[in-house]
Amino acid sequence: MGLTISQKIIRDHLLSGEMKVGEEISIRIDQTLTQDSTGTMAYLQFEAIGVPQVKTKLSVAYIDHNMLQSGFENADDHKYIQTVTSKHGIRFSRPGNGVCHQVHIERFGVPGQTLLGSDSHTPTCGGIGMLAIGAGGLDVAVAMGGGPYYISMPKMVRITLKNKLGPWATAKDIILEVLRIMTVKGGVGKIVEYAGDGLASLTVPERATITNMGAELGATTSIFPSDEVTKQFLIAQGRGEVWTELKADEDAVYDEEIEIDLAALRPLVAKPHMPDQVVSVKELEGLKVDQCCIGSCTNSSLYDMLKVAKILKGHTVHPDVSLVIAPGSKQVFNMLAETGALADMIEAGARIIECGCGPCIGMGQSPKTNAVSLRTNNRNFYGRSGTKSASIYLVSPEVAAVAAVTGVVTDPADFGEPPVVDMPSSFKVNDNMVVMPSTDPDSVEVVRGPNIKPFPINKELADDVDGKVLIKTEDNITTDHIMPSNAKLLPFRSNVPYLADFCLTPCDEGFPARAKENGGGFIIGGANYGQGSSREHAALAPLQLGVKGVIALSFARIHMANLINNGILPLVFKDTEDYKKLDMLDELEIKDARNQIEAAVEGKPVMVTNKTKGYDFATDLSISDRQCGMLLAGGLLNFTRKQAEG
Ligand code: MIC
Ligand code: SF4
């Protein structure tokens, strides 16, 4: 039987397990990336593991998220990351060099290799045929130390793209269409592969927009074949030698098939507050716009920016609109300057900000009360922009640029001819903002600022686990609900005790206090609990508050792994009715928990008693032997220590 693209890469990197859907497998990781808001934690954990030099082919630490230095905290964390990476063999991409995913695909990604990143949008590099997966910082730390990365073998989805995009339809509209079809939970446990005659006309930046936003499907990753288009991109980046051809076998078998006719696509938009709330731009025509933000790891390539500049040229940004543009990398910024496109943006009145995540994660540029903000980002979760009353709409750079001029949502077809941009035959290459690790690591002193506080570590699982229901949430709770990130909170990513006081507050202001008063307890979640970011803080903050378990209708992949890594039980209701029956402050107990968890490996249910209402209910805990060991030991660090002690 033939293999898919990702099955081939997995086969070549397989360390343990059988490539059967749902089985736990482990793979060798070639490259890792971290960014600063998850990176401090990842490097503290790497230090705790105690491996002197990274064992990967390449590891890069980026500074791109926490760039608003309104206090000492972020700058301290940058210094910590710079020194700790220098000591342990990791390259350091300085602030100003760009957003991790944009820089990585430009300068470091290699088709056919594996990449593990402490950021959920790591799959961006699937745009050049890399098996690129987002994970929690601890998993990335283990991979840097040469350890395997564990996943359950995903199902394979093939999305066949037919024909060519029509005028004003873009790669963003392709992935929005996929989101419309599959929804934000449709990709859980799956890898999405792209195929079809439509690929030939899609550039690498367009492919990267699609794989980037595959994260919003909940997919393990997304991938394109490595073909002639990939080759030309890598040659233009001066890296032609890393290219290899990669394609699925003719007789590869897929678990799910979707077909999209590119020629039929029209500009689309995701409405607040979920990336799958997709409608056509036409439907929202005339809606007054207050802000347009162009950038983020989804749409900040040179290709995107040049199109935006062409649209803006000769126009003035509408007086009621604030247009913010953040180029994705130093390379993009520099080439915009050299080609004169930057001047066109400035002339039109755009507010150009540094290369980084910026508004996407609420680091500045929060819009006004009740604002309508059109953004090219991948996420429009409630409150993420920093303004709770704002409505964030996700669109292509073209739609954002046109609206910035007209002041209202506008079908770009009514605006004029679409901009046409060619991919350059050579990019401006200068890696002077990437600092190589020290050649004398012993001499490097790791600098730790006062903002770095010890992170919580769980204890061995008790025989009886009990506690009250501390909160009951709806479906699709995101990591932005669980551990909000914005300009005020992001500087405290190395200070979990401080962050814990904001845990789940977008859902319920009283949660942290209630958790403390009751000495911890349980979180009750709906479907797809924990979707979104890879941030471990969404597990660490509950741990800090004494949360022992989360019982939900279903979980997002990375968050579930982060819970297990921290020894918090992720239980899934067997019967939806039991979710409905639970109320706030019901007293729950898992009797004989250690034996029950061990039996869960064999597929037995974990029984929970509702002591308040006097009944038992069944939950599923689908874990491997290894995950069982972690839960019993109280998390991955304890488990690794225990194993080391023999
Ligand atoms: C995001 O887009 O939500 C982030 C911020 O990049 C996160 C990482 C983080 O929380 O630090 C992600 O996508 O994993
Ligand atoms: Fe940064 Fe936004 Fe991309 Fe996350 S989604 S890496 S915050 S640009």
Side-chain angles (χ1 to χ4, degrees), residues 103-399:
V103 178
H104 209 85
I105 201 165
E106 287 170 356
R107 306 304 309 140
F108 299 115
V110 176
Q113 288 198 2
T114 53
L115 167 68
L116 194 70
S118 65
D119 190 280
S120 64
H121 292 103
T122 303
T124 311
C125 275
I128 53 168
M130 236 188 153
L131 192 79
I133 304 178
L138 187 48
D139 284 327
V140 176
V142 168
M144 286 192 284
Y149 177 61
Y150 292 86
I151 41 167
S152 64
M153 184 66 197
K155 285 186 176 164
M156 298 289 146
V157 181
R158 176 162 60 189
I159 300 190
T160 304
L161 305 177
K162 306 205 100 156
N163 302 318
K164 278 188 187 167
L165 287 168
W168 293 107
T170 67
K172 185 62 158 271
D173 305 311
I174 300 177
I175 187 63
L176 287 176
E177 174 69 0
V178 175
L179 272 153
R180 194 185 64 75
I181 298 169
M182 289 181 75
T183 79
V184 290
K185 40 183 190 285
V188 178
K190 302 173 189 171
I191 292 183
V192 179
E193 298 201 353
Y194 289 86
D197 64 279
L199 295 194
S201 62
L202 290 177
T203 63
V204 164
E206 289 172 299
R207 296 173 181 197
T209 294
I210 295 168
T211 50
N212 172 280
M213 236 179 133
E216 275 52 69
L217 299 165
T220 305
T221 191
S222 305
I223 193 166
F224 277 76
S226 170
D227 57 11
E228 200 49 39
V229 175
T230 325
K231 186 177 178 181
Q232 289 316 317
F233 174 79
L234 288 168
I235 290 173
Q237 287 286 353
R239 305 199 294 122
E241 74 286 352
V242 304
W243 180 78
T244 43
E245 189 182 23
L246 208 67
K247 57 179 181 194
D249 290 330
E250 293 283 324
D251 55 346
V253 179
Y254 290 86
D255 302 283
E256 221 175 295
E257 297 267 2
I258 291 173
E259 208 176 273
I260 296 177
D261 178 7
L262 299 186
L265 277 185
R266 296 288 171 268
L268 297 173
V269 44
K271 295 197 299 183
H273 298 285
M274 226 19 97
D276 60 1
Q277 296 305 299
V278 177
V279 297
S280 72
V281 167
K282 206 87 204 140
E283 275 176 62
L284 295 180
E285 236 176 355
L287 180 68
K288 215 166 153 18
V289 174
D290 302 289
Q291 184 190 49
C292 294
C293 295
I294 301 177
S296 89
C297 56
T298 320
N299 279 117
S300 60
S301 64
L302 181 70
Y303 187 72
D304 284 328
M305 294 287 158
L306 288 175
K307 286 196 279 184
V308 168
K310 284 200 170 176
I311 293 169
L312 294 177
K313 193 177 166 77
H315 293 283
T316 299
V317 173
H318 190 279
D320 294 335
V321 178
S322 172
L323 170 63
V324 182
I325 300 181
S329 69
K330 186 190 78 146
Q331 182 184 77
V332 172
F333 212 169
N334 224 338
M335 290 182 75
L336 284 177
E338 283 192 354
T339 55
L342 185 61
D344 295 332
M345 292 173 166
I346 296 170
E347 192 61 27
R351 301 170 64 183
I352 313 289
I353 57 174
E354 64 180 329
C355 311
C357 301
C360 175
I361 187 61
M363 289 301 269
Q365 303 295 336
S366 298
K368 75 173 182 60
T369 306
N370 296 330
V372 168
S373 177
L374 262 50
R375 299 182 167 207
T376 66
N377 310 346
N378 41 44
R379 291 185 173 149
N380 55 352
F381 299 150
Y382 172 69
R384 186 175 160 99
S385 69
T387 304
K388 285 194 181 144
S389 64
S391 297
I392 310 297
Y393 294 81
L394 305 177
V395 295
S396 68
E398 287 87 328
V399 169

Side-chain angles (χ1 to χ4, degrees), residues 108 146 264 273 455 492 524 531:
F108 299 115
H273 298 285
F455 55 90
F492 295 97
I524 306 302
Q531 69 159 320

Side-chain angles (χ1 to χ4, degrees), residues 60-61 63 78 81-82 85 90-95 433-435:
V60 190
I63 306 291
H78 298 174
I81 294 176
Q82 178 160 10
T85 51
I90 300 146
R91 294 183 203 195
F92 178 72
S93 171
R94 295 168 57 188
M433 291 289 278
V434 179
V435 183

Side-chain angles (χ1 to χ4, degrees), residues 469-536:
V469 171
L470 301 171
I471 188 170
K472 184 174 172 183
T473 73
E474 310 159 354
D475 290 352
N476 291 325
I477 289 298
T478 74
T479 47
D480 282 302
H481 291 100
I482 306 171
M483 194 58 263
S485 276
N486 53 42
K488 292 195 187 90
L489 293 182
L490 215 50
F492 295 97
R493 281 293 180 90
S494 345
N495 188 344
V496 177
Y498 180 85
L499 282 185
D501 283 338
F502 300 88
C503 181
L504 276 163
T505 49
C507 301
D508 177 353
E509 290 278 348
F511 173 76
R514 194 177 313 118
K516 283 182 189 168
E517 265 162 39
N518 288 287
F522 291 89
I523 294 172
I524 306 302
N528 200 23
Y529 181 83
Q531 69 159 320
S533 156
S534 67
R535 66 189 69 144
E536 278 171 308

